[in-house]
């Protein structure tokens, strides 16, 4: 398992839409292992998307409050109930910002072997899944902030 460097907020790869996975092979399972090792390499890391390590594929890993795994080609069903809480991104280390998200999600996708997976999540894990799936669509969490808050956030982001 290789810990890979995390791409920083200014990296253009984070603005690209990731490609769907078609081959559930050894290479994909190696990617999932690297994502998981990279996610676990630092304190407080709850999720990571493949584009954050420079791989433009629709793969995320997560680990929070006893629930962990991977989702390949995930689709989210969002609840109407929304909550605001602080959110951070490994691609913008050290910055937390309040953001409104759905309180509950149902995530459907595949595991690294192609088997169907459904994850029902509340609270923080729901937020993590929404955040990571945004990365697959080239969306950074700052894109979801109001204009003034986005400008304040971007002024704080360290170039990298």
């Amino acid at each position: 398992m290789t810990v890979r460097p995390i791409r920083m907020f200014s990296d253009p790869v984070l603005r690209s839409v990731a490609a769907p996975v078609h081959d559930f092979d050894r290479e994909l399972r190696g990617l999932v292992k690297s994502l998981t090792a990279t996610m676990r390499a630092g304190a407080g890391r709850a999720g990571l998307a493949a584009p954050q390590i420079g791989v433009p594929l629709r793969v995320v890993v997560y680990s929070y409050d006893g629930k962990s795994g991977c989702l390949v080609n995930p689709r989210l069903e969002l609840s109407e109930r929304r909550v605001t809480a602080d959110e951070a991104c490994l691609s913008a280390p050290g910055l937390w910002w309040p953001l409104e998200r759905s309180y509950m999600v149902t995530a459907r996708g595949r595991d690294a072997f192609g088997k169907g997976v459904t994850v029902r999540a509340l609270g923080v894990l729901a937020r993590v899944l929404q955040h990571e799936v945004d990365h697959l669509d080239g969306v950074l969490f700052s894109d979801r902030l109001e204009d003034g808050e986005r400008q304040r956030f971007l002024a704080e982001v360290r170039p990298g």
Side-chain angles (χ1 to χ4, degrees), residues 120-142:
R120 289 177 179 78
L122 302 169
V124 173
L125 183 56
R127 178 172 297 277
V128 167
L129 294 174
Q130 290 169 81
H131 180 105
E132 300 311 332
V133 170
D134 273 354
H135 275 301
L136 303 181
D137 294 327
V139 174
L140 300 174
F141 87 93
S142 60

Side-chain angles (χ1 to χ4, degrees), residues 2-50:
T2 304
V3 173
R4 308 259 303 262
I6 294 174
R7 302 294 180 99
M8 292 297 106
F9 227 66
S10 59
D11 192 314
V13 74
L14 297 177
R15 289 298 189 175
S16 300
V17 176
V21 171
H22 299 290
D23 298 322
F24 292 82
D25 55 11
R26 178 180 285 171
E27 189 174 329
L28 175 65
R29 289 186 288 282
L31 171 61
V32 168
K33 286 179 183 178
S34 285
L35 279 167
T36 301
T38 302
M39 175 185 63
R40 291 183 173 155
R45 296 177 174 189
L48 190 64

Side-chain angles (χ1 to χ4, degrees), residues 82-86 98-101 127:
R82 301 189 52 90
V83 294
T84 299
D86 282 349
L99 181 64
E100 184 179 80
R101 294 246 191 212
R127 178 172 297 277

Side-chain angles (χ1 to χ4, degrees), residues 90-109:
L90 296 175
S91 295
L95 295 178
W96 291 82
W97 224 263
L99 181 64
E100 184 179 80
R101 294 246 191 212
S102 290
Y103 176 71
M104 182 173 55
V105 301
T106 300
R108 299 180 197 284

